[in-house]
Amino acid sequence: MVRAQRQLAGRPERAVAVLRRLIERKRQGSTIANSLASLETMIAYFRDPDSMRVLVQDHAAGKKPTCAALSMMQIQANGDVTMCSGTAPVGNVKTTPIRRIWADRPDWWRAGCCHERRMSEHEKATVGLAAPTPQPAPAEVAAG
């Protein structure tokens, strides 16, 4: 695998040729775990990496990104809890109950997902995202 990576590094035309052969073999019945759509997405990535850099790094290429903070959390070995790879920890399960961390997590999705903040303008245009427009915070209701 490392040898193949070295042979393809900096040579997108070779990577595309290899992927086209894999697609043809899959169509002929060879067992290849990746879907045809996944292989096609890889071709697009090698031809223009900046058009999908963040989504490929987050294993979300070929999909419209959704904010991970809406449905997911990652617990690191040291107990730190993150919502996605692009954000700082929001708590630690060694000191705070997981339900409290979930309830108190930042609402990043209101101002645009971290995907959008990390994407280049080119990548945003490729996946059909405009630059996020800041949303006003909801008015707080005074306790009465």
Side-chain angles (χ1 to χ4, degrees), residues 41 44-46 48-62 85 114-124 126-127:
T41 298
Y45 172 76
F46 279 107
D48 187 5
D50 188 48
S51 70
M52 47 183 39
R53 176 187 55 83
V54 171
L55 295 179
V56 166
Q57 289 172 352
D58 291 347
H59 304 285
S85 59
C114 72
H115 284 125
E116 295 173 49
R117 290 191 298 274
R118 292 168 35 225
M119 286 179 181
S120 67
E121 292 304 316
H122 181 56
E123 186 168 4
K124 288 178 192 175
T126 300
V127 298

Side-chain angles (χ1 to χ4, degrees), residues 1-15 46:
M1 181 67 142
V2 172
R3 182 175 167 228
Q5 287 174 333
R6 271 190 248 127
Q7 290 175 339
L8 297 176
R11 302 178 70 187
E13 72 286 346
R14 287 203 59 182
F46 279 107

Side-chain angles (χ1 to χ4, degrees), residues 26-81:
K26 184 169 181 79
R27 286 187 174 137
Q28 292 172 354
S30 293
T31 303
I32 297 173
N34 300 79
S35 68
L36 289 172
S38 173
L39 294 169
E40 291 290 347
T41 298
M42 288 181 211
I43 288 173
Y45 172 76
F46 279 107
R47 286 190 171 148
D48 187 5
D50 188 48
S51 70
M52 47 183 39
R53 176 187 55 83
V54 171
L55 295 179
V56 166
Q57 289 172 352
D58 291 347
H59 304 285
K63 308 170 199 163
K64 186 160 182 161
T66 57
C67 186
L70 285 168
S71 61
M72 184 179 90
M73 66 173 68
Q74 301 168 359
I75 301 173
Q76 309 302 322
N78 68 353
D80 282 349
V81 177

